[in-house]
Coordinates of all heavy atoms in Angstrom, one line a residue:
M1 N 0.8 -1.2 0.0 CA 0.0 0.0 0.0 C 0.9 1.2 0.0 O 1.9 1.3 0.8 CB -0.9 0.0 1.3 CG -1.7 1.2 1.4 SD -2.7 1.3 2.9 CE -3.9 0.0 2.6
I2 N 0.6 2.2 -0.8 CA 1.3 3.4 -0.9 C 0.5 4.5 -0.1 O -0.7 4.3 0.2 CB 1.6 3.9 -2.3 CG1 0.4 4.0 -3.1 CG2 2.6 2.9 -3.0 CD1 0.6 4.6 -4.6
K3 N 1.2 5.7 0.1 CA 0.5 6.7 0.9 C -0.8 7.2 0.3 O -1.8 7.3 1.1 CB 1.5 7.9 1.0 CG 1.0 8.9 2.0 CD 2.0 10.0 2.4 CE 2.9 10.5 1.4 NZ 3.7 11.7 1.8
S4 N -0.9 7.3 -1.0 CA -2.2 7.8 -1.6 C -3.3 6.8 -1.4 O -4.5 7.1 -1.2 CB -2.0 8.1 -3.0 OG -1.6 7.0 -3.8
E5 N -3.0 5.5 -1.4 CA -4.0 4.4 -1.1 C -4.4 4.5 0.3 O -5.6 4.2 0.6 CB -3.4 3.1 -1.5 CG -3.2 2.8 -3.0 CD -2.4 1.5 -3.3 OE1 -1.8 1.0 -2.4 OE2 -2.5 1.1 -4.4
L6 N -3.5 4.7 1.2 CA -3.8 4.8 2.6 C -4.8 6.0 2.8 O -5.8 5.9 3.5 CB -2.5 5.1 3.5 CG -2.7 5.3 5.0 CD1 -3.4 4.1 5.6 CD2 -1.4 5.7 5.6
V7 N -4.5 7.1 2.2 CA -5.4 8.3 2.3 C -6.8 8.0 1.8 O -7.8 8.3 2.4 CB -4.8 9.5 1.6 CG1 -5.8 10.6 1.5 CG2 -3.5 10.0 2.3
Q8 N -6.8 7.3 0.6 CA -8.1 6.9 0.0 C -8.9 6.0 0.9 O -10.1 6.1 1.1 CB -7.9 6.3 -1.3 CG -7.5 7.3 -2.4 CD -7.1 6.7 -3.7 OE1 -7.1 5.5 -3.8 NE2 -6.9 7.5 -4.7
R9 N -8.2 5.0 1.5 CA -8.9 4.1 2.4 C -9.4 4.7 3.7 O -10.6 4.5 4.1 CB -7.9 2.9 2.8 CG -8.7 1.8 3.5 CD -7.8 0.6 3.7 NE -7.6 -0.1 2.4 CZ -6.9 -1.2 2.3 NH1 -6.4 -1.8 3.4 NH2 -6.7 -1.7 1.1
I10 N -8.7 5.6 4.2 CA -9.1 6.4 5.4 C -10.3 7.3 5.0 O -11.3 7.4 5.8 CB -8.0 7.2 6.0 CG1 -6.9 6.3 6.6 CG2 -8.5 8.1 7.1 CD1 -5.7 7.0 7.1
A11 N -10.3 7.9 3.8 CA -11.4 8.7 3.4 C -12.6 7.9 3.2 O -13.7 8.4 3.5 CB -11.0 9.5 2.1
A12 N -12.5 6.7 2.7 CA -13.7 5.9 2.4 C -14.3 5.5 3.8 O -15.5 5.3 3.8 CB -13.2 4.6 1.6
Q13 N -13.5 5.3 4.8 CA -14.0 4.9 6.1 C -14.6 6.1 6.9 O -15.3 5.9 7.8 CB -12.9 4.2 6.9 CG -12.5 2.9 6.4 CD -11.3 2.3 7.1 OE1 -10.7 2.9 8.0 NE2 -11.0 1.0 6.8
N14 N -14.2 7.3 6.5 CA -14.6 8.5 7.2 C -15.1 9.5 6.2 O -14.5 10.5 5.9 CB -13.4 9.1 8.0 CG -12.9 8.2 9.0 OD1 -13.5 8.0 10.1 ND2 -11.9 7.5 8.7
P15 N -16.3 9.3 5.6 CA -16.8 10.2 4.6 C -17.1 11.6 5.0 O -17.2 12.5 4.2 CB -18.1 9.5 4.1 CG -18.5 8.6 5.2 CD -17.2 8.2 5.9
H16 N -17.2 11.8 6.3 CA -17.4 13.2 6.9 C -16.2 14.0 6.9 O -16.3 15.2 7.1 CB -18.0 13.1 8.3 CG -17.1 12.4 9.3 ND1 -16.9 11.0 9.3 CD2 -16.3 12.9 10.2 CE1 -16.1 10.7 10.2 NE2 -15.6 11.8 10.8
L17 N -15.0 13.4 6.6 CA -13.8 14.2 6.5 C -13.4 14.5 5.0 O -13.6 13.6 4.2 CB -12.6 13.4 7.2 CG -12.8 13.2 8.7 CD1 -11.7 12.3 9.1 CD2 -12.8 14.5 9.4
Y18 N -12.8 15.6 4.8 CA -12.3 15.9 3.4 C -11.0 15.2 3.2 O -10.2 15.0 4.1 CB -12.0 17.4 3.3 CG -13.3 18.3 3.3 CD1 -13.5 19.2 4.4 CD2 -14.2 18.2 2.3 CE1 -14.7 19.9 4.4 CE2 -15.4 19.0 2.3 CZ -15.6 19.8 3.4 OH -16.7 20.6 3.4
Q19 N -10.8 14.8 2.0 CA -9.6 14.0 1.6 C -8.3 14.8 1.8 O -7.3 14.3 2.2 CB -9.7 13.5 0.2 CG -8.5 12.6 -0.2 CD -8.8 11.8 -1.5 OE1 -9.9 11.6 -1.9 NE2 -7.7 11.3 -2.0
R20 N -8.4 16.1 1.5 CA -7.2 17.0 1.7 C -6.8 17.1 3.2 O -5.6 17.1 3.5 CB -7.4 18.3 1.1 CG -8.4 19.2 1.8 CD -8.5 20.6 1.2 NE -9.4 21.4 1.9 CZ -10.7 21.5 1.6 NH1 -11.2 20.8 0.6 NH2 -11.5 22.3 2.3
D21 N -7.8 17.1 4.1 CA -7.5 17.1 5.5 C -6.9 15.8 5.9 O -5.9 15.8 6.7 CB -8.8 17.3 6.3 CG -9.4 18.7 6.1 OD1 -8.6 19.6 5.7 OD2 -10.6 18.9 6.3
I22 N -7.4 14.7 5.4 CA -6.8 13.4 5.8 C -5.4 13.3 5.2 O -4.5 12.8 6.0 CB -7.6 12.2 5.2 CG1 -9.0 12.2 5.8 CG2 -6.9 10.9 5.3 CD1 -10.0 11.3 5.1
E23 N -5.1 13.8 4.0 CA -3.8 13.8 3.5 C -2.8 14.7 4.3 O -1.7 14.3 4.6 CB -3.8 14.4 2.1 CG -2.5 14.1 1.3 CD -2.7 14.5 -0.2 OE1 -3.9 14.4 -0.7 OE2 -1.7 14.8 -0.8
N24 N -3.3 15.8 4.8 CA -2.5 16.6 5.7 C -2.2 15.9 7.0 O -1.1 16.0 7.6 CB -3.2 18.0 6.0 CG -3.2 18.9 4.8 OD1 -2.4 18.8 4.0 ND2 -4.2 19.8 4.8
I25 N -3.2 15.2 7.6 CA -3.0 14.5 8.8 C -1.9 13.4 8.6 O -1.0 13.2 9.4 CB -4.3 13.9 9.3 CG1 -5.2 15.0 9.8 CG2 -4.1 12.9 10.5 CD1 -6.6 14.6 10.0
V26 N -2.1 12.6 7.5 CA -1.1 11.5 7.3 C 0.3 12.1 7.1 O 1.3 11.5 7.6 CB -1.6 10.7 6.0 CG1 -0.5 9.7 5.6 CG2 -2.9 9.9 6.4
N27 N 0.4 13.1 6.3 CA 1.7 13.8 6.1 C 2.3 14.3 7.4 O 3.5 14.1 7.6 CB 1.6 14.9 5.1 CG 1.4 14.4 3.7 OD1 1.8 13.3 3.3 ND2 0.8 15.2 2.8
T28 N 1.5 14.9 8.2 CA 2.0 15.4 9.5 C 2.5 14.2 10.4 O 3.6 14.3 11.0 CB 0.9 16.1 10.3 OG1 0.5 17.2 9.4 CG2 1.4 16.7 11.6
I29 N 1.8 13.1 10.4 CA 2.2 12.0 11.2 C 3.5 11.4 10.7 O 4.5 11.2 11.5 CB 1.1 10.9 11.2 CG1 -0.1 11.4 12.0 CG2 1.6 9.6 11.8 CD1 -1.3 10.5 11.9
L30 N 3.6 11.2 9.4 CA 4.8 10.7 8.9 C 6.0 11.6 9.0 O 7.1 11.2 9.3 CB 4.6 10.3 7.4 CG 3.6 9.2 7.1 CD1 3.4 9.0 5.7 CD2 4.0 7.9 7.8
D31 N 5.8 12.9 8.8 CA 6.8 13.9 9.0 C 7.3 14.0 10.5 O 8.5 14.1 10.7 CB 6.4 15.3 8.6 CG 6.2 15.5 7.1 OD1 6.7 14.6 6.3 OD2 5.5 16.4 6.6
T32 N 6.4 13.8 11.4 CA 6.8 13.8 12.8 C 7.6 12.6 13.2 O 8.6 12.7 13.9 CB 5.5 13.9 13.7 OG1 4.7 15.0 13.3 CG2 5.8 13.9 15.2
I33 N 7.2 11.5 12.7 CA 8.0 10.2 12.9 C 9.4 10.4 12.3 O 10.4 10.1 12.9 CB 7.3 9.0 12.3 CG1 6.0 8.7 13.1 CG2 8.2 7.8 12.3 CD1 5.1 7.6 12.5
A34 N 9.5 10.9 11.0 CA 10.8 11.0 10.4 C 11.6 12.1 11.1 O 12.8 11.9 11.3 CB 10.6 11.5 8.9
G35 N 11.0 13.2 11.6 CA 11.8 14.2 12.3 C 12.3 13.7 13.6 O 13.5 13.9 14.0
A36 N 11.5 12.9 14.3 CA 12.0 12.3 15.6 C 13.1 11.3 15.3 O 14.1 11.3 16.1 CB 10.8 11.6 16.3
M37 N 13.0 10.5 14.3 CA 14.1 9.6 14.0 C 15.4 10.4 13.5 O 16.5 9.9 13.9 CB 13.7 8.6 12.9 CG 12.6 7.6 13.4 SD 12.0 6.5 12.1 CE 13.5 5.7 11.7
A38 N 15.2 11.5 12.8 CA 16.4 12.3 12.4 C 17.1 12.8 13.6 O 18.3 13.1 13.6 CB 15.9 13.4 11.5
N39 N 16.3 13.1 14.7 CA 16.9 13.6 16.0 C 17.5 12.4 16.8 O 18.0 12.7 17.9 CB 15.9 14.3 16.8 CG 15.5 15.6 16.1 OD1 16.3 16.2 15.4 ND2 14.3 16.1 16.4
G40 N 17.4 11.2 16.3 CA 17.9 10.0 17.1 C 16.9 9.5 18.1 O 17.3 8.6 18.9
D41 N 15.7 9.9 18.0 CA 14.7 9.4 19.0 C 14.0 8.2 18.5 O 14.1 7.9 17.3 CB 13.5 10.5 19.2 CG 14.1 11.8 19.9 OD1 15.1 11.7 20.6 OD2 13.5 12.8 19.6
R42 N 13.4 7.4 19.4 CA 12.7 6.2 19.1 C 11.2 6.6 19.1 O 10.7 7.3 20.0 CB 13.0 5.2 20.1 CG 12.4 3.8 20.0 CD 12.9 2.9 21.0 NE 12.4 1.5 20.8 CZ 11.3 1.1 21.5 NH1 10.7 1.8 22.3 NH2 10.9 -0.2 21.2
V43 N 10.4 6.1 18.1 CA 9.0 6.3 18.1 C 8.3 5.0 18.2 O 8.5 4.1 17.4 CB 8.6 7.0 16.7 CG1 7.1 7.2 16.6 CG2 9.4 8.3 16.5
E44 N 7.5 4.9 19.3 CA 6.8 3.6 19.5 C 5.3 3.9 19.4 O 4.7 4.8 20.0 CB 7.1 3.1 21.0 CG 6.4 1.8 21.3 CD 6.8 1.3 22.7 OE1 7.8 1.7 23.2 OE2 6.0 0.5 23.2
L45 N 4.6 3.0 18.6 CA 3.2 3.1 18.5 C 2.7 1.7 19.0 O 2.8 0.7 18.4 CB 2.8 3.2 17.0 CG 3.3 4.4 16.3 CD1 3.1 4.4 14.8 CD2 2.8 5.7 16.9
R46 N 2.1 1.8 20.2 CA 1.7 0.6 20.9 C 0.8 -0.3 20.1 O -0.1 0.2 19.4 CB 1.0 0.9 22.2 CG 1.8 1.6 23.3 CD 2.7 0.6 23.9 NE 3.7 1.3 24.7 CZ 4.1 1.0 25.9 NH1 3.4 0.0 26.6 NH2 5.0 1.6 26.5
G47 N 1.1 -1.6 20.0 CA 0.3 -2.5 19.3 C 0.7 -2.6 17.8 O 0.4 -3.5 17.1
F48 N 1.4 -1.6 17.3 CA 1.9 -1.5 15.9 C 3.3 -1.9 15.8 O 3.7 -2.8 15.1 CB 1.6 -0.2 15.3 CG 1.9 -0.1 13.8 CD1 1.1 -0.7 12.9 CD2 3.0 0.6 13.4 CE1 1.4 -0.6 11.5 CE2 3.3 0.7 12.1 CZ 2.5 0.1 11.1
G49 N 4.2 -1.1 16.5 CA 5.6 -1.3 16.4 C 6.4 -0.1 16.8 O 5.8 0.9 17.2
A50 N 7.7 -0.2 16.7 CA 8.6 0.9 17.1 C 9.6 1.2 16.0 O 10.2 0.3 15.4 CB 9.4 0.5 18.3
F51 N 9.7 2.5 15.7 CA 10.7 2.9 14.7 C 11.9 3.4 15.5 O 11.8 4.2 16.5 CB 10.1 4.1 13.9 CG 8.9 3.7 13.1 CD1 7.7 3.9 13.6 CD2 9.1 3.3 11.8 CE1 6.5 3.6 12.8 CE2 8.0 2.9 11.0 CZ 6.7 3.1 11.6
S52 N 13.1 3.1 15.0 CA 14.3 3.6 15.6 C 15.4 3.7 14.6 O 15.2 3.3 13.4 CB 14.8 2.6 16.8 OG 15.1 1.3 16.3
V53 N 16.5 4.2 15.0 CA 17.7 4.4 14.1 C 18.8 3.6 14.6 O 19.2 3.7 15.8 CB 18.1 5.9 14.0 CG1 19.3 6.1 13.1 CG2 16.9 6.7 13.5
K54 N 19.4 2.8 13.8 CA 20.6 2.0 14.2 C 21.8 2.6 13.5 O 21.7 3.0 12.3 CB 20.4 0.5 13.8 CG 19.4 -0.2 14.6 CD 19.5 -1.6 14.7 CE 18.5 -2.2 15.6 NZ 18.9 -3.6 16.0
S55 N 22.9 2.5 14.1 CA 24.2 3.0 13.6 C 25.0 1.9 13.1 O 25.2 0.9 13.8 CB 24.9 3.8 14.7 OG 26.1 4.3 14.2
R56 N 25.5 2.0 11.9 CA 26.3 1.0 11.3 C 27.7 1.6 11.2 O 27.9 2.6 10.6 CB 25.9 0.6 9.9 CG 24.5 -0.1 9.9 CD 24.4 -1.1 8.8 NE 23.1 -1.8 9.0 CZ 22.4 -2.2 8.0 NH1 22.8 -1.9 6.7 NH2 21.3 -2.8 8.1
P57 N 28.7 0.9 11.8 CA 30.1 1.5 11.9 C 30.7 1.5 10.5 O 30.3 0.7 9.6 CB 30.8 0.6 12.9 CG 30.0 -0.7 12.8 CD 28.6 -0.4 12.5
A58 N 31.8 2.3 10.4 CA 32.6 2.3 9.1 C 33.2 0.9 9.0 O 33.5 0.2 10.0 CB 33.6 3.4 9.2
R59 N 33.4 0.5 7.7 CA 34.0 -0.8 7.5 C 34.7 -0.8 6.1 O 34.5 0.1 5.4 CB 32.9 -1.9 7.5 CG 31.9 -1.7 6.4 CD 30.8 -2.8 6.5 NE 29.7 -2.5 5.6 CZ 29.7 -2.9 4.3 NH1 30.7 -3.6 3.8 NH2 28.6 -2.6 3.6
T60 N 35.4 -1.8 5.9 CA 36.0 -2.0 4.6 C 35.2 -3.0 3.8 O 35.0 -4.1 4.2 CB 37.5 -2.6 4.7 OG1 38.2 -1.7 5.5 CG2 38.1 -2.7 3.4
G61 N 34.7 -2.5 2.7 CA 33.8 -3.3 1.8 C 34.6 -3.8 0.6 O 35.8 -3.6 0.5
R62 N 33.9 -4.4 -0.4 CA 34.6 -4.9 -1.6 C 33.7 -4.6 -2.8 O 32.5 -4.8 -2.7 CB 34.7 -6.4 -1.4 CG 35.5 -7.0 -2.5 CD 35.7 -8.5 -2.3 NE 34.4 -9.2 -2.3 CZ 33.8 -9.6 -3.4 NH1 34.3 -9.4 -4.6 NH2 32.6 -10.3 -3.3
N63 N 34.3 -4.1 -3.8 CA 33.6 -3.8 -5.1 C 33.4 -5.2 -5.7 O 34.4 -5.9 -6.0 CB 34.5 -2.9 -6.0 CG 33.8 -2.6 -7.3 OD1 33.0 -3.4 -7.8 ND2 34.1 -1.5 -7.8
P64 N 32.1 -5.6 -5.9 CA 31.9 -7.0 -6.4 C 32.4 -7.2 -7.9 O 32.7 -8.3 -8.3 CB 30.4 -7.1 -6.4 CG 29.8 -5.8 -6.2 CD 30.9 -4.9 -5.6
R65 N 32.5 -6.1 -8.6 CA 32.9 -6.2 -10.0 C 34.4 -6.4 -10.1 O 34.9 -7.3 -10.8 CB 32.5 -5.0 -10.8 CG 32.9 -5.1 -12.3 CD 32.3 -4.0 -13.1 NE 30.8 -4.0 -13.1 CZ 30.1 -3.3 -13.8 NH1 30.6 -2.3 -14.5 NH2 28.8 -3.4 -13.7
T66 N 35.2 -5.6 -9.4 CA 36.6 -5.6 -9.5 C 37.3 -6.4 -8.4 O 38.5 -6.7 -8.5 CB 37.2 -4.2 -9.6 OG1 36.9 -3.5 -8.3 CG2 36.6 -3.4 -10.7
G67 N 36.6 -6.5 -7.2 CA 37.2 -7.2 -6.1 C 38.1 -6.2 -5.3 O 38.7 -6.6 -4.3
A68 N 38.1 -4.9 -5.7 CA 39.0 -3.9 -5.0 C 38.3 -3.6 -3.6 O 37.1 -3.6 -3.5 CB 39.1 -2.7 -5.8
K69 N 39.2 -3.3 -2.6 CA 38.7 -2.9 -1.3 C 38.2 -1.5 -1.4 O 38.8 -0.6 -2.0 CB 39.7 -3.1 -0.3 CG 40.1 -4.5 0.0 CD 41.1 -4.6 1.1 CE 41.3 -6.1 1.4 NZ 42.2 -6.3 2.6
V70 N 37.0 -1.2 -0.7 CA 36.4 0.1 -0.7 C 36.1 0.5 0.8 O 35.5 -0.4 1.5 CB 35.1 0.1 -1.6 CG1 34.5 1.5 -1.5 CG2 35.4 -0.3 -3.0
E71 N 36.4 1.7 1.2 CA 36.1 2.1 2.5 C 34.6 2.6 2.5 O 34.2 3.4 1.7 CB 37.0 3.3 3.0 CG 38.4 2.9 3.2 CD 38.5 1.8 4.3 OE1 37.8 1.9 5.3 OE2 39.3 0.8 4.1
V72 N 33.8 2.0 3.4 CA 32.4 2.4 3.5 C 32.3 3.2 4.8 O 32.7 2.8 5.9 CB 31.5 1.1 3.6 CG1 30.0 1.5 3.8 CG2 31.7 0.3 2.4
D73 N 31.7 4.4 4.7 CA 31.6 5.3 5.9 C 30.5 4.8 6.8 O 29.7 4.0 6.5 CB 31.2 6.7 5.4 CG 32.2 7.4 4.6 OD1 33.4 7.1 4.8 OD2 31.9 8.3 3.8
E74 N 30.6 5.3 8.1 CA 29.6 5.0 9.1 C 28.3 5.6 8.6 O 28.2 6.7 7.9 CB 30.0 5.7 10.4 CG 28.9 5.6 11.4 CD 29.2 6.4 12.7 OE1 29.9 7.3 12.6 OE2 28.6 6.0 13.7
K75 N 27.2 4.9 8.9 CA 25.9 5.4 8.5 C 24.8 5.0 9.5 O 25.0 4.1 10.3 CB 25.5 5.0 7.0 CG 25.4 3.5 6.8 CD 25.1 3.2 5.4 CE 25.4 1.7 5.1 NZ 25.2 1.4 3.7
H76 N 23.7 5.8 9.4 CA 22.6 5.5 10.3 C 21.4 5.0 9.4 O 21.1 5.6 8.3 CB 22.1 6.8 11.0 CG 23.2 7.3 11.8 ND1 23.6 6.8 13.0 CD2 24.1 8.4 11.6 CE1 24.6 7.5 13.5 NE2 24.9 8.5 12.7
V77 N 20.8 3.9 9.8 CA 19.7 3.3 9.0 C 18.5 3.2 9.8 O 18.5 2.9 11.0 CB 20.1 1.9 8.4 CG1 21.3 2.0 7.5 CG2 20.5 1.0 9.6
P78 N 17.3 3.4 9.2 CA 16.0 3.2 9.9 C 15.8 1.7 10.2 O 16.2 0.9 9.5 CB 15.0 3.8 9.0 CG 15.6 3.7 7.6 CD 17.1 3.8 7.8
F79 N 15.1 1.5 11.4 CA 14.8 0.1 11.8 C 13.4 0.1 12.3 O 13.0 1.0 13.0 CB 15.8 -0.3 12.9 CG 15.6 -1.7 13.4 CD1 16.0 -2.8 12.6 CD2 15.0 -1.9 14.6 CE1 15.7 -4.1 13.1 CE2 14.8 -3.2 15.1 CZ 15.2 -4.3 14.3
F80 N 12.7 -0.9 12.0 CA 11.3 -1.1 12.5 C 11.1 -2.4 13.1 O 11.5 -3.5 12.5 CB 10.3 -0.9 11.3 CG 8.8 -1.1 11.8 CD1 8.2 -0.2 12.5 CD2 8.2 -2.3 11.5 CE1 6.9 -0.4 12.9 CE2 6.9 -2.5 11.9 CZ 6.2 -1.5 12.6
K81 N 10.6 -2.5 14.3 CA 10.3 -3.7 15.0 C 8.9 -3.8 15.3 O 8.3 -2.9 15.9 CB 11.1 -3.8 16.3 CG 10.9 -5.1 17.1 CD 11.7 -5.2 18.3 CE 11.4 -6.5 19.0 NZ 12.1 -6.6 20.3
T82 N 8.2 -4.9 14.8 CA 6.8 -5.0 15.0 C 6.4 -5.2 16.4 O 7.2 -5.8 17.2 CB 6.2 -6.2 14.2 OG1 6.9 -7.3 14.6 CG2 6.4 -5.9 12.7
G83 N 5.2 -4.7 16.8 CA 4.7 -4.9 18.2 C 4.1 -6.2 18.3 O 3.8 -6.9 17.3
K84 N 3.8 -6.6 19.5 CA 3.3 -7.9 19.8 C 1.9 -8.1 19.2 O 1.7 -9.2 18.6 CB 3.1 -8.1 21.4 CG 2.6 -9.4 21.8 CD 2.5 -9.5 23.3 CE 1.9 -10.8 23.7 NZ 1.7 -10.9 25.2
E85 N 1.0 -7.1 19.3 CA -0.3 -7.3 18.6 C -0.2 -7.4 17.1 O -0.9 -8.2 16.5 CB -1.1 -6.1 19.0 CG -1.6 -6.0 20.4 CD -2.5 -4.8 20.6 OE1 -3.2 -4.3 19.7 OE2 -2.4 -4.3 21.8
M86 N 0.7 -6.7 16.5 CA 0.9 -6.8 15.0 C 1.4 -8.2 14.7 O 0.9 -8.8 13.7 CB 1.9 -5.7 14.6 CG 2.2 -5.8 13.1 SD 0.8 -5.5 12.0 CE 0.8 -3.7 12.1
R87 N 2.4 -8.7 15.4 CA 2.9 -10.1 15.1 C 1.8 -11.1 15.3 O 1.7 -12.0 14.4 CB 4.1 -10.4 16.1 CG 5.4 -9.9 15.6 CD 6.5 -10.6 16.4 NE 6.4 -10.4 17.8 CZ 6.8 -9.3 18.5 NH1 7.4 -8.3 17.9 NH2 6.6 -9.2 19.8
E88 N 1.0 -11.0 16.3 CA -0.1 -12.0 16.5 C -1.1 -11.9 15.4 O -1.6 -12.9 15.0 CB -0.7 -11.7 17.9 CG 0.2 -12.1 19.1 CD -0.4 -11.7 20.4 OE1 -1.4 -11.0 20.5 OE2 0.2 -12.1 21.4
R89 N -1.4 -10.7 15.0 CA -2.4 -10.5 13.9 C -1.9 -11.1 12.6 O -2.7 -11.7 11.8 CB -2.7 -9.0 13.8 CG -3.9 -8.7 13.0 CD -4.2 -7.2 13.1 NE -5.4 -6.9 12.4 CZ -5.9 -5.7 12.4 NH1 -5.3 -4.7 12.9 NH2 -7.0 -5.5 11.7
L90 N -0.6 -10.9 12.3 CA 0.0 -11.4 11.1 C 0.1 -13.0 11.1 O 0.1 -13.6 10.1 CB 1.3 -10.8 10.8 CG 1.4 -9.3 10.5 CD1 2.8 -8.8 10.5 CD2 0.6 -9.0 9.3
N91 N 0.2 -13.5 12.3 CA 0.5 -15.0 12.4 C -0.7 -15.8 12.8 O -0.6 -16.9 13.2 CB 1.6 -15.2 13.3 CG 2.9 -14.7 12.8 OD1 3.3 -15.0 11.6 ND2 3.7 -14.0 13.6
T92 N -1.9 -15.2 12.7 CA -3.1 -16.0 13.0 C -3.5 -16.9 11.8 O -3.2 -16.5 10.6 CB -4.3 -15.1 13.3 OG1 -4.6 -14.2 12.2 CG2 -4.1 -14.4 14.6
D93 N -4.0 -18.0 12.0 CA -4.4 -18.9 10.9 C -5.7 -18.6 10.3 O -6.6 -18.2 10.8 CB -4.4 -20.4 11.4 CG -2.9 -20.8 11.7 OD1 -2.0 -20.3 11.2 OD2 -2.8 -21.8 12.6

């Protein structure tokens, strides 16, 4: 599902709301989560999961084409861990 499909589904479930308002709400939520993660904070949505940032240290990599060693800088990557309710919901028969 992409963001526009999410907005359309929420609009279908809430016909009393304008689609542009729903789009603003979804964008605000996602921007707030991204901003918190950019600051190094963890964002937890109970029952859904937790977004956090993991740090990967610098390392020596390898160019697969030439086999030459390449230095890879330290980087920060987003990480999502599902909540207990989400895992149970996904794993029901």
Side-chain angles (χ1 to χ4, degrees):
M1 176 182 293
I2 59 175
K3 187 167 39 170
S4 61
E5 291 173 342
L6 175 64
V7 169
Q8 288 174 355
R9 188 170 292 183
I10 293 171
Q13 293 174 354
N14 298 281
H16 60 283
L17 297 174
Y18 292 113
Q19 186 165 342
R20 68 175 182 274
D21 293 338
I22 295 170
E23 193 170 337
N24 287 337
I25 292 168
V26 170
N27 286 336
T28 301
I29 291 169
L30 296 177
D31 289 344
T32 303
I33 291 171
M37 290 176 63
N39 292 332
D41 295 334
R42 181 173 184 265
V43 178
E44 181 177 337
L45 303 171
R46 294 283 167 131
F48 183 73
F51 298 91
S52 61
V53 178
K54 291 203 174 195
S55 179
R56 294 211 177 143
R59 62 184 174 84
T60 302
R62 186 179 64 84
N63 182 331
R65 184 174 294 185
T66 64
K69 291 185 178 184
V70 178
E71 291 301 317
V72 179
D73 294 335
E74 175 187 22
K75 59 183 165 183
H76 302 284
V77 294
F79 179 76
F80 178 75
K81 182 177 180 184
T82 57
K84 182 180 176 184
E85 286 180 34
M86 176 67 77
R87 273 194 307 274
E88 289 173 353
R89 195 171 183 180
L90 293 174
N91 292 313
T92 57
D93 291 335

